[in-house]
Amino acid sequence: MTTNLSVNGNRLWDTLMVSAGIGTGPRGGLRRLTLTEPDRVMRDQLKAWAAEGGYPLTIDGLGNMVLRRDGLEPDLPPVVIGSHLDTQWAGGRFDGILGVLAGLEVLRTLDDLGIATRRSIEVVNWTNEEGARFSPPMLCSLAWSGQATPDWVENRRDRDGIRFGDALDGIGYRGPEPVGGRTIDAYFELHIEQGPALDRAGVPVGIVTGGYPSCGMRIAVEGATAHTGPTPMSERHNALVGAAMVAVAVNDIGWAHADTDAKATAARLDLVPNLPGTLSEYAELFIDMRAPKLETLETMKASLRAALPDCAARSLTQISIAEEWGFGVFSFDDGLIGLLRETADRLGVPTMDLRSQAGHDAYHVARVAPACMIFTPCRDGITHNEAEDIALEPTLPGVNLLLHAALARANR
Amino acid sequence: MTTNLSVNGNRLWDTLMVSAGIGTGPRGGLRRLTLTEPDRVMRDQLKAWAAEGGYPLTIDGLGNMVLRRDGLEPDLPPVVIGSHLDTQWAGGRFDGILGVLAGLEVLRTLDDLGIATRRSIEVVNWTNEEGARFSPPMLCSLAWSGQATPDWVENRRDRDGIRFGDALDGIGYRGPEPVGGRTIDAYFELHIEQGPALDRAGVPVGIVTGGYPSCGMRIAVEGATAHTGPTPMSERHNALVGAAMVAVAVNDIGWAHADTDAKATAARLDLVPNLPGTLSEYAELFIDMRAPKLETLETMKASLRAALPDCAARSLTQISIAEEWGFGVFSFDDGLIGLLRETADRLGVPTMDLRSQAGHDAYHVARVAPACMIFTPCRDGITHNEAEDIALEPTLPGVNLLLHAALARANR
């Protein structure tokens, strides 16, 4: 097998910089929320690149976009490389984007060198990975993998009450293909690490063995409106105060387990009516907790459950867990992880094993197909921030690992 | 002097119930935010009542509406009775409204009985008393009393970015009269107590001697966006957590002084970007604190100032007081308070002295003219809540006190 085969780094960087110009944020990152106008422009660009490369493009009923480079035996289940082109509200230029455009670069490299593969290779751009507009994140790989119906997805609403289905139609990216239900041979997702481990260790590649056991909760706090002035302290039922107590408790729980690299976050708080002069009658707090070990996460969840009645009693409100979800408790495919290790060895690329602390579409795909992930370094681990940055040089070993591993799998 | 003169309670109640049908809230109270369509309809109703009574109506450049019943010597400074017809988002049917409509009832009663007064009597409806749409509350009596310019008021923006001036034009209630700059003889404001003291004591009238020393603050918390997953606890700068710690500290300070009847409130919290998956980079918390004694308030403010660095250190954010304002440190006019006491004695109406814990337009008017307030009972002290309620019978002694005191002053 060859080892001197490599992607065109400059071309990859150029495509990344074209993307970085679409939906640029106020501080030089990206604000390209899913199914908005910048997302449409970026999708049009991907479509143009597909046409330019001669890669047939298909789009399913949730806007998931698939570019395909046909193999010699096109009826065989394909090898799929994917990630997402949507970003956070204060997003970086590489989170997700690198994975899609590295996949495009793999197709282009194979074309440059006239390499035919036995299986077809596809590149997918998943809709609404970030969850910054429609909740939950990884929404369309969830449906693709059969864990939610397209109908349920279409009826999710953003903060302004806009339906996912209407937003999808609004940018013209509802396609005719069915959502999921396909057999694929393997799924590769390359992603920036979104943590500091690779950058600090000076190692270019992380082989992702699985996720961090994680949970999310929507916590509801019920109070009552009243005047902020005359109402005695003992007759106040201020939902804002109840939610603030829970937010502090969540943060304390994160710190209590920080030595295990666990985290707990109070991420979003919605208040009604949220006006000066009036106590809040309702609050919704979105939290998440993550830990390397499931037993740590379970301890954290138990601590939170124990804290809620205390917060309710001190704030004279009613507090309940309105919704709860979990993810990250799984491992990626042993065969693919083995392939990544062997390929990296052959290429002389140093690697380290990592578990992913962020959610990824690969988590959902792993439910129905062999899947794996490659992490590349991310400066100081900064992400979900416009200052997110990478350098090309330490990124290329990961992209070349993707090229070689996908090629090997496509010729299987 | 007469004592058997009294208002028409049923007519007053009927006007209150007409008002209660304009901008009715989902739970039977009122949601009649200033300069919205329901406010316009209510203003049109007041205009119709003015026309029906033959009371010339003038409107100033900020939408403050004045009905006038001319006196025998119309060039003398008038006696003014006022309050507001706007409500909170979850407002009651009587907060402010009773004061304006009681004033109207005074004019009508004088007409019924053919009583001419030496001075003219005016009834004013102040724009944006509540502050539920434009900050600060009591905005247009602030300008009327020369403490802010009409230009500054016009450029205040609501949460959707709409300018006060544009909203005023939108409902067609910008009038030609100058804002303030007039000499008035006396200002009376009748208002529900918004606290439980009168209701619990079974006393129909509170004579308001002054306000509670009060302060408001806008507290800014600066953090940084980052991923809620991989970012280590020690590298998080979550503005939501910093603001939550301040909200809890404010509430604790309120409880620490609750035995003095002091209060501290975290009332409104705005977060950026407030999305799941991302730490917040910015938070603004609106708080207020009130105490019967200025020295207690100063102690509370000192406690809060001392707590902020601790909240900042624990949340790894920057916390500062972005804006601070105070009100309530004043006393109403001794002459008018004396008049209220004497009149109540003459009418045999039991009274108790109270300090107001809520802000009122009378506070601002008191800066430039003799002013006083009459409180009437409010069931269980519930207010800024759609369940706010009063009964007519215990309200009438206060309205009759207003009639007699205003009449006495108008004949002075």
Side-chain angles (χ1 to χ4, degrees):
Chain A
M1 291 175 82
T2 57
T3 58
N4 59 350
L5 190 60
S6 72
V7 298
N8 182 332
N10 290 335
R11 179 172 57 196
L12 171 60
W13 193 257
D14 288 345
T15 64
L16 286 165
M17 291 306 105
V18 169
S19 157
I22 300 172
T24 307
R27 294 174 219 167
L30 283 173
R31 182 172 295 173
R32 195 160 70 203
L33 297 181
T34 195
L35 307 185
T36 60
E37 179 61 13
D39 186 34
R40 183 193 65 75
V41 174
M42 183 66 230
R43 287 165 177 264
D44 287 353
Q45 178 62 65
L46 182 65
K47 190 193 271 189
W49 282 329
E52 187 184 300
Y55 312 124
L57 175 73
T58 53
I59 303 173
D60 72 19
L62 294 178
N64 296 316
M65 300 171 74
V66 180
L67 283 65
R68 181 175 166 103
R69 184 175 186 270
D70 269 326
L72 298 169
E73 297 177 44
D75 293 337
L76 288 178
V79 169
V80 179
I81 300 169
S83 198
H84 59 94
L85 294 172
D86 70 327
T87 80
Q88 287 285 336
W89 179 83
R93 297 170 297 164
F94 306 102
D95 173 355
I97 298 155
L98 177 63
V100 177
L101 299 185
L104 176 63
E105 180 54 38
V106 166
L107 302 191
R108 288 169 164 179
T109 297
L110 296 176
D111 280 343
D112 289 344
L113 303 172
I115 296 173
T117 56
R118 182 170 175 242
R119 295 174 186 274
S120 304
I121 301 180
E122 296 181 348
V123 176
V124 59
N125 168 34
W126 300 107
T127 303
N128 194 62
E129 192 274 347
E130 290 291 4
R133 184 166 177 200
F134 297 98
S135 188
M138 297 112 72
L139 184 59
C140 296
S141 55
L142 186 81
W144 185 91
S145 59
Q147 300 173 81
T149 65
D151 258 9
W152 182 82
V153 173
E154 289 211 31
N155 286 308
R156 306 301 289 178
R157 287 178 190 272
D158 71 9
R159 192 160 6 187
D160 298 324
I162 300 171
R163 282 179 65 249
F164 177 100
D166 294 336
L168 181 63
D169 288 332
I171 64 160
Y173 268 90
R174 183 194 294 275
E177 296 298 316
V179 176
R182 301 176 61 206
T183 301
I184 67 172
D185 178 65
Y187 177 79
F188 292 88
E189 185 163 351
L190 180 143
H191 206 284
I192 60 168
E193 183 201 341
Q194 301 187 284
L198 294 173
D199 186 43
R200 288 183 185 163
V203 172
V205 166
I207 293 177
V208 186
T209 55
Y212 261 45
S214 306
C215 76
M217 294 181 190
R218 183 166 59 86
I219 294 173
V221 184
E222 287 171 71
T225 60
H227 197 298
T228 61
T231 314
M233 292 304 295
S234 59
E235 293 176 30
R236 288 167 179 244
H237 313 283
N238 189 352
L240 191 160
V241 170
M245 287 174 175
V246 176
V248 172
V250 167
N251 192 60
D252 287 346
I253 291 168
W255 274 104
H257 297 273
D259 60 335
T260 73
D261 203 37
K263 286 100 186 182
T265 310
R268 173 179 164 183
L269 175 56
D270 296 331
L271 296 157
V272 178
N274 202 28
L275 292 171
T278 296
L279 306 182
S280 288
E281 66 180 23
Y282 187 66
E284 262 188 11
L285 181 70
F286 292 75
I287 69 138
D288 68 65
M289 301 196 289
R290 310 178 195 219
K293 291 188 180 171
L294 184 57
E295 65 190 82
T296 310
L297 182 67
E298 292 301 338
T299 304
M300 295 167 77
K301 285 163 76 170
S303 298
L304 181 62
R305 283 182 207 287
L308 295 184
D310 175 61
C311 295
R314 285 190 296 138
S315 61
L316 306 175
T317 61
Q318 309 273 327
I319 303 181
S320 60
I321 298 172
E323 200 178 350
E324 183 175 344
W325 57 93
F327 58 94
V329 185
F330 72 98
S331 293
F332 282 123
D333 182 70
D334 284 340
L336 288 175
I337 289 174
L339 173 61
L340 290 179
R341 284 196 215 290
E342 290 156 24
T343 309
D345 283 350
R346 183 159 53 82
L347 297 175
V349 172
T351 68
M352 55 193 277
D353 283 4
L354 290 171
R355 297 190 81 83
S356 172
Q357 304 185 53
H360 293 289
D361 292 304
Y363 289 23
H364 292 321
V365 177
R367 297 259 187 158
V368 293
C372 66
M373 287 191 77
I374 298 166
F375 274 174
T376 56
C378 151
R379 188 173 58 79
D380 293 330
I382 294 170
T383 185
H384 286 202
N385 184 302
E386 294 197 49
E388 177 191 281
D389 203 9
I390 68 171
L392 180 60
E393 196 197 356
T395 301
L396 282 179
V399 182
N400 280 318
L401 174 60
L402 174 69
L403 168 69
H404 284 266
L407 180 59
R409 189 79 183 194
N411 282 328
R412 192 175 71 136
Chain B
M1 292 174 80
T2 56
T3 59
N4 59 349
L5 188 63
S6 73
V7 298
N8 182 333
N10 290 334
R11 179 172 56 193
L12 172 61
W13 192 257
D14 288 345
T15 65
L16 287 165
M17 290 306 106
V18 169
S19 157
I22 300 172
T24 307
R27 295 172 218 167
L30 282 173
R31 182 172 296 173
R32 194 161 69 205
L33 296 182
T34 195
L35 307 186
T36 60
E37 179 61 14
D39 185 33
R40 184 192 65 75
V41 174
M42 183 65 231
R43 286 165 177 264
D44 286 354
Q45 178 62 66
L46 182 65
K47 190 192 271 188
W49 281 329
E52 188 185 300
Y55 311 125
L57 174 73
T58 53
I59 303 173
D60 72 17
L62 294 178
N64 296 315
M65 300 171 73
V66 179
L67 282 67
R68 181 174 166 105
R69 183 174 187 271
D70 270 325
L72 298 171
E73 299 178 42
D75 293 338
L76 287 178
V79 168
V80 179
I81 300 169
S83 198
H84 60 94
L85 294 172
D86 70 326
T87 79
Q88 286 286 335
W89 179 85
R93 298 170 297 165
F94 307 101
D95 173 354
I97 298 155
L98 177 62
V100 178
L101 300 184
L104 176 65
E105 180 53 37
V106 166
L107 302 191
R108 288 170 164 177
T109 297
L110 295 176
D111 280 345
D112 288 348
L113 304 173
I115 296 175
T117 57
R118 180 168 176 246
R119 295 174 187 274
S120 304
I121 301 181
E122 297 181 349
V123 175
V124 59
N125 168 35
W126 300 106
T127 303
N128 195 61
E129 192 274 345
E130 289 291 5
R133 183 167 178 199
F134 298 98
S135 187
M138 297 111 73
L139 184 59
C140 295
S141 55
L142 186 79
W144 185 91
S145 59
Q147 300 173 81
T149 65
D151 257 9
W152 182 82
V153 173
E154 288 212 30
N155 285 309
R156 305 300 291 175
R157 287 177 189 272
D158 72 7
R159 193 159 7 187
D160 297 325
I162 299 170
R163 283 178 66 250
F164 178 100
D166 294 336
L168 181 63
D169 288 331
I171 65 161
Y173 268 90
R174 182 195 295 275
E177 296 298 316
V179 176
R182 302 178 60 206
T183 301
I184 67 172
D185 177 66
Y187 177 79
F188 291 89
E189 184 162 350
L190 178 142
H191 205 283
I192 60 168
E193 181 200 342
Q194 301 187 283
L198 294 173
D199 186 44
R200 288 182 186 162
V203 171
V205 166
I207 293 178
V208 186
T209 55
Y212 261 44
S214 305
C215 76
M217 294 182 191
R218 182 165 61 84
I219 294 173
V221 184
E222 288 172 70
T225 61
H227 197 297
T228 62
T231 313
M233 293 303 295
S234 59
E235 294 176 29
R236 289 169 178 244
H237 314 283
N238 189 352
L240 190 159
V241 170
M245 288 174 175
V246 176
V248 172
V250 167
N251 193 60
D252 287 346
I253 290 168
W255 274 104
H257 298 272
D259 59 336
T260 72
D261 203 36
K263 287 98 186 183
T265 310
R268 171 178 165 184
L269 175 56
D270 295 331
L271 296 157
V272 178
N274 203 27
L275 292 170
T278 296
L279 306 182
S280 288
E281 64 180 25
Y282 187 66
E284 263 188 10
L285 182 69
F286 292 76
I287 70 138
D288 68 66
M289 302 197 289
R290 309 179 196 221
K293 292 190 179 169
L294 184 57
E295 65 192 78
T296 310
L297 182 67
E298 293 300 338
T299 303
M300 295 168 77
K301 284 163 76 170
S303 299
L304 181 62
R305 282 182 208 287
L308 295 184
D310 175 61
C311 295
R314 286 190 296 137
S315 61
L316 305 175
T317 61
Q318 309 272 325
I319 303 181
S320 60
I321 299 172
E323 201 177 351
E324 183 174 345
W325 58 94
F327 59 95
V329 186
F330 72 98
S331 293
F332 282 123
D333 183 71
D334 284 341
L336 289 175
I337 290 174
L339 173 63
L340 291 178
R341 285 197 215 290
E342 291 156 23
T343 310
D345 283 351
R346 180 159 55 83
L347 298 174
V349 173
T351 67
M352 57 194 276
D353 282 2
L354 289 172
R355 296 192 80 82
S356 172
Q357 305 185 55
H360 294 289
D361 291 304
Y363 289 24
H364 291 320
V365 177
R367 296 258 187 160
V368 294
C372 67
M373 288 192 75
I374 298 165
F375 275 173
T376 57
C378 151
R379 187 173 57 79
D380 292 330
I382 293 171
T383 184
H384 286 201
N385 184 302
E386 294 196 49
E388 176 191 282
D389 204 9
I390 68 171
L392 180 60
E393 194 197 357
T395 300
L396 283 179
V399 182
N400 281 318
L401 175 60
L402 173 71
L403 167 69
H404 283 267
L407 180 57
R409 189 80 184 193
N411 284 329
R412 191 177 70 135

